Amino acid sequence: MLEKTSKTFIRIMLGIYMLLLGLGVLLGTLGKLANPSYILEFLAAAAFFLCLWFFRDKLGKFLENVHLPGTFITGLILSFFCLLLNLAWVLVFQIEPTVDFQTFYDTALAIARDERVDMLYLGLFPHILGYSTFLGLMMRLFGQSALLAPILNVALTLISGLCIYILCLRWVNQKAAATAFFLWSVCPSKLMYNSMVMSEPLYTCLILLFLLLLSLALDRDGSWWLRLLAALPLGLGCGALLLAVNVTRPVAIILFVAFFLWLFLLRGKQLKRLKVWLIIAAFTLSMFGAYSRCDQQWFRWEYLHIFDKTPDIPAYNIYVGLNMDSLGSYSEEDMDKLMSYRYQGDAVYAQEQMLKEVEKRLSSGEINFPKLFSAKLAKLMGNDEGGAFYAQGELSPLAFKLSSAISNVYYYFLALLSLLGAAVLFRRPVFASVYMAPLYSIGLILAHLIVEVSGRYKYSLIPMLIIVASFALQEFKKTDVTEIKKA
């Protein structure tokens, strides 16, 4: 009975995932026929996907005849490929930081030099301090070279790729894991983002490390006593990682919600096993304990730099997210209003006033929610040309168009592959923490239907699409899905 109920919830969740992803792509292509490049790029990706599908029997035979070396050697080869490709890119393509990226860089530079940071702006957006602290500490260790942030991004990309590889090894099989690592390594938008001073590579890497530790702790692997003993240190690690995620980008709440939804709804027969619940209890208590302890330490560090209490609710981001003129994207007018309140009082006061502005905007009757939500979904999930957009100052018009096209074709192909992978899981549900990937994706997409949206906020979703897409490989072989180590 529990297994049947869990399968029902799994299918509902995957249905929502496929709906949001599919609708986002459709709104970004068919919904923008005035710009035919999007539909042409989608058709190119769809043509390649359909070629793979129509020749899946031959491709399946080819894959069966491919004999990879051991998992360690395969991972090592892919790691070198990922490192060399991404490193070559940042060494060749360099970008001067601007706007938000300049804020990150200036704050990190101030931390590295033990100088006062810009408290006026930082108090309003304390997550800036998270990435800037990381970069500033790296500057103390390795110097203040302009190449430091891009090289760190390459290192974080490599770690993220290894996490994807290991997770897919645990959840699917070696060939799927190798394919997933390759797809991450060559992602065009990620290559372009790596040249920038931005927090996305860091918090995405932290999220993937969290998923890996979670899988090691709660997906069945080894004796019960060993798992119980490992639950404590793995829980401590997960708690510290979640706090690090939250101070870099406040999305830890999405991971917490996803964790509990998976824990109580999606684990099938494991829901009635007392021994498993003891492992979960040890893991969860240690995770929350570590998060709370690290949060206290971070509060002290934050106060030393901002010298003031920081707001708990991102009211400004919600206010912008409800702006019909900008359709939920950045608005200079909204920023001016926020800063006017900031000059009148502290950061908490400014965000409290913005919360009142949110109430006014909601009660104005001017918000067309279907139009707003569809525009925001298209902005977030409709394409993946954000890397080219932020780099266009360093690109010729032709290079910008080519970069955007390549990024979008890759993204649309990956989206189709991820939809197929979700369909495989929908048809043959398994019981493992793999569902944290689509749950996080759903949570982040829904959150950005409320708060401010930008194309680059999709960065941390690309690995989730890849992980789900790894299950699509099962459609290109005769055998069923590899038996997953159940939680």
Side-chain angles (χ1 to χ4, degrees):
M1 182 63 182
L2 284 174
E3 185 173 345
K4 186 176 180 180
T5 303
S6 286
K7 284 184 177 181
T8 300
F9 282 122
I10 286 169
R11 286 172 173 144
I12 292 171
M13 180 272 295
L14 289 171
I16 295 171
Y17 172 81
M18 290 188 283
L19 175 65
L20 290 173
L21 177 57
L23 188 58
V25 170
L26 288 176
L27 288 171
T29 53
L30 293 176
K32 294 185 177 180
L33 292 177
N35 192 339
S37 63
Y38 293 118
I39 191 66
L40 291 174
E41 289 154 2
F42 175 77
L43 289 173
F48 181 61
F49 178 82
L50 289 173
C51 284
L52 292 180
W53 180 254
F54 286 134
F55 294 100
R56 63 186 182 276
D57 290 337
K58 292 182 179 180
L59 183 59
K61 291 178 182 178
F62 171 77
L63 290 173
E64 287 178 359
N65 292 327
V66 171
H67 298 289
L68 296 175
T71 55
F72 177 80
I73 298 299
T74 301
L76 192 62
I77 293 170
L78 288 167
S79 295
F80 276 117
F81 172 75
C82 179
L83 179 63
L84 292 175
L85 176 63
N86 287 269
L87 185 60
W89 176 264
V90 300
L91 292 177
V92 171
F93 188 73
Q94 299 175 28
I95 302 175
E96 287 289 327
T98 57
V99 199
D100 289 347
F101 309 146
Q102 186 69 53
T103 302
F104 280 127
Y105 184 79
D106 291 343
T107 306
L109 207 57
I111 291 171
R113 295 173 177 174
D114 282 324
E115 298 174 352
R116 287 183 67 120
V117 298
D118 180 7
M119 297 177 295
L120 191 69
Y121 189 77
L122 202 62
L124 293 167
F125 306 101
H127 66 273
I128 292 172
L129 185 62
Y131 174 72
S132 298
T133 294
F134 167 76
L135 182 57
L137 294 176
M138 292 298 104
M139 285 179 172
R140 290 184 187 180
L141 290 173
F142 303 110
Q144 299 167 12
S145 168
L147 271 174
L148 179 61
I151 290 174
L152 288 172
N153 288 341
V154 172
L156 292 167
T157 294
L158 175 59
I159 297 170
S160 294
L162 285 169
C163 288
I164 293 169
Y165 178 69
I166 297 170
L167 285 169
C168 290
L169 278 176
R170 295 178 60 80
W171 290 333
V172 198
N173 57 42
Q174 186 183 359
K175 290 177 183 177
T179 303
F181 198 167
F182 176 79
L183 286 172
W184 171 247
S185 299
V186 301
C187 177
S189 63
K190 182 259 307 158
L191 283 172
M192 304 203 76
Y193 282 132
N194 275 351
S195 297
M196 305 173 196
V197 183
M198 61 193 303
S199 60
E200 276 75 6
L202 176 59
Y203 74 77
T204 299
C205 180
L206 294 171
I207 290 171
L208 288 167
L209 284 169
F210 165 76
L211 293 182
L212 179 57
L213 294 191
L214 176 66
S215 176
L216 290 172
L218 301 183
D219 286 338
R220 190 173 67 194
D221 191 15
S223 69
W224 180 81
W225 281 107
L226 182 62
R227 293 174 65 203
L228 182 62
L229 290 173
L232 291 172
L234 290 172
L236 292 173
C238 281
L241 285 168
L242 283 174
L243 191 279
V245 169
N246 214 47
V247 302
T248 308
R249 190 77 186 176
V251 295
I253 183 64
I254 298 173
L255 292 167
F256 276 123
V257 172
F259 171 70
F260 283 110
L261 286 174
W262 169 72
L263 196 64
F264 291 108
L265 298 177
L266 309 181
R267 293 189 305 110
K269 293 179 180 178
Q270 301 298 317
L271 287 166
K272 64 180 181 181
R273 295 183 179 174
L274 179 60
K275 285 187 174 182
V276 175
W277 279 110
L278 290 175
I279 295 170
I280 290 170
F283 173 84
T284 305
L285 289 173
S286 61
M287 180 175 68
F288 276 98
Y291 185 94
S292 177
R293 181 63 178 170
C294 291
D295 189 41
Q296 294 171 16
Q297 297 302 317
W298 178 256
F299 177 79
R300 295 189 182 97
W301 174 263
E302 189 177 72
Y303 191 83
L304 284 173
H305 289 82
I306 302 178
F307 301 103
D308 204 352
K309 186 180 178 182
T310 54
D312 296 323
I313 301 175
Y316 162 78
N317 300 86
I318 300 172
Y319 185 68
V320 176
L322 298 173
N323 189 324
M324 281 300 301
D325 293 329
S326 67
L327 292 175
S329 297
Y330 175 81
S331 165
E332 192 70 38
E333 183 180 346
D334 290 349
M335 176 57 74
D336 291 341
K337 181 171 289 190
L338 173 67
M339 293 310 294
S340 70
Y341 286 128
R342 181 66 177 92
Y343 288 125
Q344 296 173 24
D346 59 17
V348 173
Y349 170 80
Q351 291 285 19
E352 286 175 347
Q353 300 310 304
M354 291 307 297
L355 191 58
K356 294 178 181 178
E357 296 291 343
V358 169
E359 294 171 357
K360 290 180 184 177
R361 182 162 277 179
L362 282 171
S363 60
S364 68
E366 298 175 356
I367 302 176
N368 183 337
F369 284 103
K371 180 181 178 181
L372 179 64
F373 290 160
S374 62
K376 294 179 78 174
L377 185 58
K379 178 76 173 180
L380 182 66
M381 304 301 295
N383 61 66
D384 196 30
E385 60 191 20
F389 173 79
Y390 287 106
Q392 62 183 314
E394 305 293 329
L395 298 170
S396 67
L398 178 60
F400 170 68
K401 289 180 181 179
L402 284 174
S403 300
S404 298
I406 293 169
S407 296
N408 287 336
V409 170
Y410 170 91
Y411 170 69
Y412 294 140
F413 173 73
L414 177 60
L416 291 170
L417 207 60
S418 191
L419 288 170
L420 178 58
V424 171
L425 283 170
F426 187 96
R427 189 166 66 250
R428 298 192 294 269
V430 295
F431 300 109
S433 59
V434 63
Y435 297 117
M436 288 292 295
L439 281 169
Y440 171 74
S441 302
I442 292 168
L444 192 69
I445 293 170
L446 293 179
H448 282 295
L449 294 185
I450 304 299
V451 302
E452 179 185 357
V453 71
S454 172
R456 83 170 193 267
Y457 297 161
K458 173 171 70 268
Y459 185 103
S460 64
L461 293 184
I462 298 298
M464 308 305 157
L465 298 183
I466 290 173
I467 288 170
V468 177
S470 67
F471 285 86
L473 197 64
Q474 304 304 326
E475 290 300 296
F476 300 97
K477 58 185 294 186
K478 297 176 180 178
T479 56
D480 290 336
V481 174
T482 301
E483 181 65 24
I484 291 179
K485 300 176 178 67
K486 298 179 181 179

